[in-house]
Amino acid sequence: MFSSLIGNDLVKVFLRRHLATSRVPNAILFAGTEGVGKRLFALELAKAFVCRNKTNDEGCGTCPACTRSGHFELPRDDDREALKKVIFSNHADVGMVIAYNRFILVEAIRDLEKEAYFRPYEGNARFFLIDEADKINDAAANALLKTLEEPASTSHIILITSRPDSLLPTIRSRCQTVRFAPVETEKIEQFLIGERKQPAADAKLNARLAFGSVGRALSIELEKLRERRETLLRVLQDAIENNDRVSLLQTAEKLNDAKNKDNFEDNLEILLTMIRDVWTLALSGDYEKIINIDLATELGRLAGVAETRRLAGWIDEIELLRESLAVNINRKVATDALFMHMAA
Ligand SMILES: [Zn+2]
């Protein structure tokens, strides 16, 4: 049932209304940030058609048909042969197309075209999810267009993407678009406490670091993050209070050494959240708005002595640095330069 999913209440209202009037579109585009639950909503919609024990037009979530339709054994993402086909769940009417490397294979879309033509085997309709639909290249898009133009009345295709603008307009215009919003921080917090049994203080921090994405919240390893934040907090202390260039350069060294190299981008992002927090506190004093809530006292103290103009400059500089990491820059030189500016 949709009530088991977190956030996006407007999407729930929209889908329930369509279920109640039996007018669920045959081609739907689920668009919204990564990790807000688009796939889960799509599977929930499918359950409403395969469930053997429906309540208020929705799937019960517990009958064998519901359970099977939510269970996929996905192939490895480099298994080209397997990804040339629709991957079915344990239910014969619910399947998914997944990209092979950077693209969705045209063979997979042709397979979907064939499958979408068949009548349902056991449910009331067939559901096909196309995950990361923005990875459809031109050849696959042309194959898909045919299916979207003349859909079988008992087949539904749900395109899922966090980059709707990358889809061809011809594809977009044939789908009913449903937009997903980031999930509210409080709802993620409640979910982490209620469903994931996280201690309240952990959930509070974790939810704020998720930026509206439940998927992201679940991928964060808090203990490791706290450990790394220690080092980055020292950067702020050295730059704002101690004016300690030697210590800053040592930290720059540490962030670039072999052990931390892979976390470099993440570390920059954590540093950015902390600078923004100090900046927010210096401007508004509003502790509810900060992300690193467990460091509130220390960040508040730093906010008391920091110049907001300098903080704003660092934020710009780190954002620029993050952009230039996409092209091949020397990270060591760039980090040293950033930290030296921060000490100036
Ligand atoms: Zn059911």
Side-chain angles (χ1 to χ4, degrees), residues 27-31 133 157-161 164 167 171-172 175-180:
I28 316 179
L29 174 64
F30 277 5
I157 299 171
I158 305 182
L159 286 75
I160 294 170
T161 180
L167 279 172
I171 298 249
R172 272 206 314 262
C175 300
Q176 165 110 46
T177 298
V178 179
R179 289 190 187 282
F180 284 71

Side-chain angles (χ1 to χ4, degrees), residues 51-52 60-61 63 66:
C51 180
R52 296 285 176 192
C60 70
C63 74
C66 280

Side-chain angles (χ1 to χ4, degrees), residues 53-255:
N53 185 24
K54 279 203 279 183
T55 358
N56 298 329
D57 305 313
E58 294 185 41
C60 70
T62 49
C63 74
C66 280
T67 312
R68 280 188 290 123
S69 69
H71 194 273
F72 283 84
E73 270 164 47
L74 299 177
R76 289 162 43 125
D77 58 7
D78 59 354
D79 187 346
R80 190 184 165 98
E81 281 313 304
L83 294 170
K84 281 181 179 174
K85 290 191 167 295
V86 173
I87 318 289
F88 279 94
S89 64
N90 288 349
H91 193 292
D93 292 322
V94 181
M96 187 163 11
V97 168
I98 300 173
Y100 166 73
N101 282 334
R102 286 173 50 228
F103 293 110
I104 287 171
L105 298 171
V106 64
E107 292 91 338
I109 296 294
R110 291 209 184 102
D111 190 43
L112 182 150
E113 185 184 0
K114 189 186 78 198
E115 292 289 348
Y117 179 74
F118 296 136
R119 294 192 50 77
Y121 289 103
E122 33 171 338
N124 293 328
R126 308 199 84 196
F127 268 80
F128 302 96
L129 280 57
I130 304 182
D131 201 25
E132 299 182 289
D134 48 277
K135 291 188 173 174
I136 292 180
N137 62 12
D138 288 355
N142 284 329
L144 179 63
L145 273 178
K146 276 198 288 175
T147 316
L148 294 178
E149 265 164 19
E150 300 156 19
S153 61
T154 50
S155 286
H156 298 266
I157 299 171
I158 305 182
L159 286 75
I160 294 170
T161 180
S162 55
R163 299 178 196 82
D165 296 338
S166 310
L167 279 172
L168 285 178
T170 42
I171 298 249
R172 272 206 314 262
S173 67
R174 280 169 179 77
C175 300
Q176 165 110 46
T177 298
V178 179
R179 289 190 187 282
F180 284 71
V183 179
E184 294 88 336
T185 306
E186 301 75 45
K187 286 191 178 156
I188 298 182
E189 191 179 327
Q190 286 159 14
F191 164 78
L192 293 173
I193 295 172
E195 304 290 321
R196 297 283 159 156
K197 309 295 172 217
Q198 269 194 10
D202 285 0
K204 204 173 175 89
L205 172 65
N206 200 347
R208 284 163 189 245
L209 288 162
F211 300 104
S213 162
V214 182
R216 189 183 155 109
L218 293 176
S219 72
I220 293 173
E221 295 176 84
L222 274 190
E223 204 163 317
K224 281 188 190 157
L225 179 123
R226 284 204 171 103
E227 213 171 277
R228 282 153 55 191
R229 228 177 27 172
E230 292 272 300
T231 311
L232 297 163
L233 182 61
R234 203 149 54 240
V235 171
L236 283 188
Q237 290 159 339
D238 286 339
I240 294 173
E241 287 183 312
N242 313 332
N243 229 347
D244 189 340
R245 285 162 175 263
V246 176
S247 173
L248 276 169
L249 277 181
Q250 280 166 352
T251 309
E253 188 91 18
K254 191 173 165 188
L255 292 181

